[in-house]
Amino acid sequence: MSRELFKFKGGVHPPEHKAESNGRPIHAAPLPRKLVIPLRQHIGNPAKPVVEVGERVLKGQMIAAADGPISTAVHASSSGTVTAIDLQPVPHVSGLPDLCITIETDGRDEWIAHAPLDYRAMAPADLRTKLRDLGLAGLGGAVFPTGAKLNPGASGHCPTLIINGGECEPWITCDDVLMRHHADEILQGMAVMRHMMGSTEILVGIEDNKPEALDSMRSAAAKLDFAVEIIAVPTLYPSGGAKQMTEILTGKQVPSGKRSTDVGLQVFNVGTAYALARAVHHGEPLISRLVTVTGHVLRPQNFEVLIGTPMHTLITLAGDRDGTTGVLMGGPMMGMPMPTLDAPVVKATNCLLVESKELFPPLPKALPCIRCTRCADACPAELQPQELFRFAKAGDFGRAQEYHLFDCIECGCCSYVCPSHIPLVDFYRYAKSEIWAHEKDKRAADLARERHEFRQFRQEREKTEKAEKLAAKAQAKRAELAAEPAVVGAAPSDADAKKALIAAALARAQAKKSDAAPKNVDHLTPEQLQQIDEIEARRAKIRELARQPLESEEKNT
Amino acid sequence: MLAAILVMVGIAVVTGLILGWSAIRFKVEGNPLAEKIDAILPQTQCGQCGFPGCRPYAEAIAKGEADINQCPPGGEEGVKKLADLLGIDPKSLDETHGTPKPKSVAFIDENTCIGCTLCIQACPVDAISGAAKQMHTIIAAECTGCELCLPPCPVDCISMVPIAEDLPHWKWKHPVIELKRVA
Ligand code: SF4
Ligand code: SF4
Ligand code: SF4
Ligand code: SF4
């Protein structure tokens, strides 16, 4: 069973450092006293709290519900009492806090009632909603809601399903040990994916520097009643990137701005498949994950960690050492420095890499770009990093976008090879976030323009409505006055009530008029009085004129 | 020779007809330049530029009746964009119209509000909700921070609160790289 493999462009060979942590068995991290569970752990809308402070919650109980289709629920990782719903430190480079639910655990670790799902009998849409409510999100890094991703689209089936066991980033081994120890569950999860996506071809790509994982996955696959190809791919960073793994296995490139289902395939991480198996076959929500703790610690290893466990407890467990200079969440190529270790482990936390001066000597100072294009040779996304750098640095974001800035996967290959040691990726991140911010401002401005225009339209409309109302009132008054003599003349019996009404109204109006009689007619000179008389005479004449056409109309009928 | 002239005349007549027809068929409503300028202006609708809103200012610029550096919310960046669009040299902001401020939204102290509705009438984007003698409140997502509701309030209960940086609004900063001095 040999398959023709393809090669993506670029890539680098950083030192692997896998052996440090992949030899030890998976260790369950102890239950912490306090769990801090962020509501924004996935791509899409943050979850909305459904519990209150003081409430007792059970392990696996939903504490925040998904908000919209691209979102997932969040669950209590253990039983205990909700002590706060507020802003807490979260694992983010900025160090800014975010909304979290804090649970004081009671040590009983008491599960809520849960049962396996009969996924074959469920309608796909219901199953997707169920998975969303079980909090499933991609564990490979992007944390995209799994329920939404398990959608083959309009065609109803997605021919190729790729399970990504690449794990190309140095130091990280959580997928490796997961495949070694839980191959059967990974393949069970894959079977659910195959069912939902209607796939006919299933490929599992694993880098050839993980022979134990390859063996264990192969023997698990042999037990299945459908064909699964377990494929060893050459070790080259970033072969574990979804696009790169796709290209290696199928030779297909997902065009810029398209989704992988558009070319008939979908990629899931092995950890996601494992979580899916736990969800479907046990009814368990995503409340724990494997985390590699490695680098400058005494016992580098992988832990099974409850979501919400503070990061510092893991580093203490692995044995913290003097001379720690920082901690990255993720690996050395794409990881993010953590401003505080009080932040909890979240669904995206695959690795805590503890840094020291010896392991990660500070980069020499950057030199100007010499346009050697080594970065372009290394870029797996086939970009021109030196040009992107130039535009991003100058703030020329439009040109950066023309050079496909958004195809950059921030893999760090370019910075890795740059002889001038320019932190290129930082510039791309900066440019991307500036562009997003501009788009947000633009949307806000468009909303303001729309609302301002609507307000002007509304004011205009109110003005005309008012004018129309006034005109209608004047018309009614005229009609009333005109009707008076006619009514008097005819005096039919059924008009008596009407007549009385009108008389009453007239009397009321008269009373009002005299109430509001102008007070400025006292103490006037004879000339002024004469003027007033003249004006009154003119007014009477106009009233007379206004009455005539109406009367003549009545005569005609 | 005659044939050549006839051909040329024929081409001229045909293109003339096509051009004439398309001028009628594809007539652009409104003033496209003003529209482009309006798209750059921040739509705060604050009137600091001296016009009753962004659109009138855009029209004035398009007609050459106003300078491009009168909009404080747009800032220097806005002036630069306008200069780019119009193909003229950028200039610095005219301070007589005000200076840029950090982005803020209005906030009504709901205990002091007497429900006079004066602020509702002042707000250019209908971002205030309330009714006579009822407490009023600002819809923060729709407030442009124009400050037009501040002066009419008889009890001075509206204040401007700068938008605090939170996770969804956080931006990567321009990397500061220390360049090694090359001798
Ligand atoms: S590798 Fe570095 S120095 Fe060479 S072109 Fe790229 S950015 Fe410039
Ligand atoms: S970080 Fe972006 S530009 Fe640099 S090599 Fe990776 S994909 Fe290419
Ligand atoms: S000053 Fe105010 S009203 Fe004038 S263009 Fe700028 S934002 Fe609009
Ligand atoms: S609420 Fe006040 S500051 Fe905000 S847009 Fe309306 S008038 Fe301007």
Side-chain angles (χ1 to χ4, degrees):
Chain A
M1 196 170 71
S2 83
R3 185 186 175 87
E4 191 204 345
L5 293 182
F6 300 82
K7 204 195 159 300
F8 62 88
K9 195 189 145 288
V12 292
H13 278 287
E16 290 172 20
H17 290 293
K18 302 275 192 183
E20 280 88 340
S21 58
N22 65 7
R24 289 192 172 83
I26 301 173
H27 208 89
L31 178 65
R33 294 262 297 282
K34 202 172 81 178
L35 292 163
V36 179
I37 305 176
L39 301 182
R40 191 197 310 271
Q41 296 188 45
H42 47 264
I43 288 185
N45 293 335
K48 280 188 176 157
V50 291
V51 289
E52 274 162 32
V53 174
E55 200 172 322
R56 183 175 142 78
V57 291
L58 294 174
K59 180 175 182 145
Q61 180 177 338
M62 190 196 286
I63 51 175
D67 179 20
I70 308 294
S71 180
T72 71
V74 170
H75 301 78
S77 315
S78 184
S79 60
T81 312
V82 177
T83 54
I85 303 177
D86 58 2
L87 296 178
Q88 293 287 335
V90 291
H92 192 272
V93 255
S94 66
L96 288 169
D98 202 12
L99 195 61
C100 297
I101 296 182
T102 306
I103 297 171
E104 198 130 342
T105 56
D106 57 13
R108 278 187 269 172
D109 214 23
E110 198 179 322
W111 265 100
I112 196 167
H114 55 293
L117 308 177
D118 186 4
Y119 71 94
R120 286 176 194 281
M122 287 172 83
D126 293 346
L127 188 50
R128 280 196 286 273
T129 313
K130 188 73 199 161
L131 295 178
R132 187 189 70 168
D133 293 344
L134 284 170
L136 288 196
L139 298 184
V143 240
F144 190 84
T146 308
K149 202 172 158 187
L150 276 169
N151 192 342
S155 67
H157 60 93
C158 170
T160 307
L161 177 66
I162 296 176
I163 304 297
N164 188 346
E167 197 168 49
C168 53
E169 177 128 6
W171 293 97
I172 309 178
T173 58
C174 60
D175 288 351
D176 184 5
V177 300
L178 184 74
M179 288 187 282
R180 291 185 194 197
H181 301 290
H182 294 285
D184 288 320
E185 281 109 321
I186 294 172
L187 295 184
Q188 282 168 8
M190 191 196 65
V192 179
M193 290 171 175
R194 170 177 173 260
H195 168 77
M196 290 184 77
M197 303 299 284
S199 308
T200 44
E201 182 185 37
I202 297 157
L203 310 173
V204 181
I206 302 171
E207 274 189 318
D208 58 12
N209 63 352
K210 307 184 213 350
E212 293 88 348
L214 276 162
D215 284 347
S216 118
M217 289 289 281
R218 284 204 172 113
S219 50
K223 290 181 252 167
L224 292 175
D225 55 358
F226 56 90
V228 175
E229 273 187 73
I230 311 281
I231 303 155
V233 304
T235 301
L236 174 67
Y237 181 82
S239 55
K243 285 189 175 168
Q244 283 67 37
M245 184 57 86
T246 304
E247 195 171 346
I248 295 172
L249 296 180
T250 66
K252 284 186 194 167
Q253 285 195 353
V254 182
S256 176
K258 290 252 180 179
R259 277 176 297 182
S260 52
T261 42
D262 294 338
V263 292
L265 48 86
Q266 190 61 286
V267 188
F268 293 93
N269 168 266
V270 286
T272 315
Y274 175 74
L276 182 62
R278 298 300 307 177
V280 169
H281 293 298
H282 303 271
E284 288 175 12
L286 180 55
I287 52 169
S288 70
R289 68 157 296 147
L290 285 192
V291 181
T292 309
V293 182
T294 185
H296 188 64
V297 287
L298 292 172
R299 297 172 296 278
Q301 59 183 305
N302 283 280
F303 293 103
E304 167 97 36
V305 189
L306 295 176
I307 305 292
T309 305
M311 288 180 169
H312 60 76
T313 62
L314 295 185
I315 291 167
T316 313
L317 271 180
D320 49 349
R321 292 165 66 177
D322 290 340
T324 298
T325 50
V327 174
L328 294 178
M329 181 168 109
M333 301 293 282
M334 301 179 70
M336 300 283 180
M338 289 293 104
T340 164
L341 293 180
D342 291 334
V345 164
V346 292
K347 292 173 186 176
T349 312
N350 51 358
C351 177
L352 294 181
L353 179 56
V354 183
E355 295 175 303
S356 69
K357 248 202 209 110
E358 294 73 46
L359 290 175
F360 301 95
L363 273 184
K365 280 181 185 168
L367 290 165
C369 170
I370 52 170
R371 301 188 68 75
C372 62
T373 66
R374 270 192 231 177
C375 48
D377 294 337
C379 177
E382 306 187 14
L383 304 174
Q384 299 289 321
Q386 75 284 7
E387 301 295 331
L388 289 177
F389 164 64
R390 195 158 61 96
F391 297 135
K393 191 165 161 236
D396 193 349
F397 304 125
R399 292 299 295 280
Q401 263 176 296
E402 279 170 31
Y403 276 74
H404 304 288
L405 172 67
F406 283 97
D407 284 351
C408 166
I409 56 170
E410 300 178 19
C411 65
C413 289
C414 49
S415 320
Y416 184 76
V417 298
C418 176
S420 292
H421 306 292
I422 304 172
L424 295 165
V425 185
D426 289 356
F427 283 91
Y428 310 148
R429 288 177 175 150
Y430 155 72
K432 285 182 187 176
S433 78
E434 283 295 322
I435 292 169
W436 284 323
H438 274 159
E439 273 169 15
K440 224 180 229 171
D441 285 352
K442 181 114 197 30
R443 277 200 297 276
D446 287 345
L447 176 74
R449 181 185 296 115
E450 209 176 277
R451 291 187 66 86
H452 182 61
E453 275 166 9
F454 178 74
R455 177 186 152 89
Q456 281 173 325
F457 161 75
R458 179 171 60 77
Q459 281 174 333
E460 203 53 44
R461 188 187 63 197
E462 271 164 15
K463 223 194 248 163
T464 46
E465 270 174 8
K466 213 170 186 179
E468 270 166 20
K469 233 188 226 158
L470 278 180
K473 224 174 177 178
Q475 176 88 32
K477 191 90 188 172
R478 255 188 315 176
E480 196 178 89
L481 287 175
E484 205 178 345
V487 169
V488 170
S493 55
D494 63 328
D496 277 354
K498 225 184 206 167
K499 200 166 123 190
L501 265 177
I502 290 169
L506 268 179
R508 267 204 309 277
Q510 220 84 58
K512 235 187 203 159
K513 225 188 221 159
S514 60
D515 268 359
K519 300 270 192 293
N520 58 352
V521 284
D522 309 334
H523 323 295
L524 290 178
T525 57
E527 295 96 272
Q528 277 171 326
L529 281 175
Q530 201 189 328
Q531 260 178 11
I532 290 174
D533 283 344
E534 276 168 16
I535 291 167
E536 284 299 336
R538 268 212 303 281
R539 275 194 187 139
K541 213 162 150 197
I542 289 167
R543 265 191 222 116
E544 199 58 38
L545 281 172
R547 197 175 294 181
Q548 263 157 18
L550 282 167
E551 275 177 350
S552 57
E553 258 170 45
E554 263 171 10
K555 269 171 205 152
N556 288 344
T557 51
Chain B
M1 181 64 194
L2 188 66
I5 290 172
L6 279 180
V7 166
M8 294 314 275
V9 168
I11 291 174
V13 167
V14 170
T15 7
L17 282 176
I18 292 175
L19 282 177
W21 175 78
S22 37
I24 298 164
R25 175 70 179 75
F26 302 112
K27 191 168 165 20
V28 180
E29 293 292 333
N31 183 344
L33 181 59
E35 214 122 278
K36 278 189 197 148
I37 297 171
D38 192 44
I40 293 175
L41 296 177
Q43 306 302 319
T44 310
Q45 315 292 0
C46 60
Q48 289 180 80
C49 49
F51 294 86
C54 303
R55 179 80 210 193
Y57 178 43
E59 269 154 23
I61 297 179
K63 279 191 223 135
E65 289 165 3
D67 215 338
I68 58 170
N69 60 350
Q70 302 182 0
C71 169
E76 303 285 351
E77 205 183 325
V79 179
K80 192 174 160 285
K81 279 193 198 152
L82 288 175
D84 280 351
L85 174 71
L86 301 171
I88 53 177
D89 284 335
K91 40 178 94 173
S92 57
L93 211 57
D94 183 352
E95 307 254 306
T96 54
H97 289 273
T99 45
K101 289 183 194 163
K103 228 178 143 9
S104 310
V105 290
F107 174 78
I108 294 182
D109 177 359
E110 295 174 352
N111 294 323
T112 322
C113 172
I114 52 170
C116 66
T117 77
L118 288 175
C119 57
I120 295 193
Q121 292 161 37
C123 178
V125 291
D126 288 338
I128 306 180
S129 93
K133 298 198 186 117
Q134 304 292 313
M135 182 192 78
H136 286 39
T137 195
I138 306 237
I139 308 165
E142 280 161 11
C143 170
T144 66
C146 69
E147 303 192 359
L148 290 181
C149 53
L150 304 193
C153 178
V155 290
D156 276 340
C157 71
I158 311 181
S159 52
M160 300 304 294
V161 186
I163 299 174
E165 191 177 45
D166 59 357
L167 264 193
H169 294 101
W170 180 80
K171 289 196 288 185
W172 283 87
K173 306 294 172 293
H174 193 292
V176 203
I177 48 168
E178 232 182 300
L179 277 186
K180 197 156 97 181
R181 205 170 284 283
V182 190

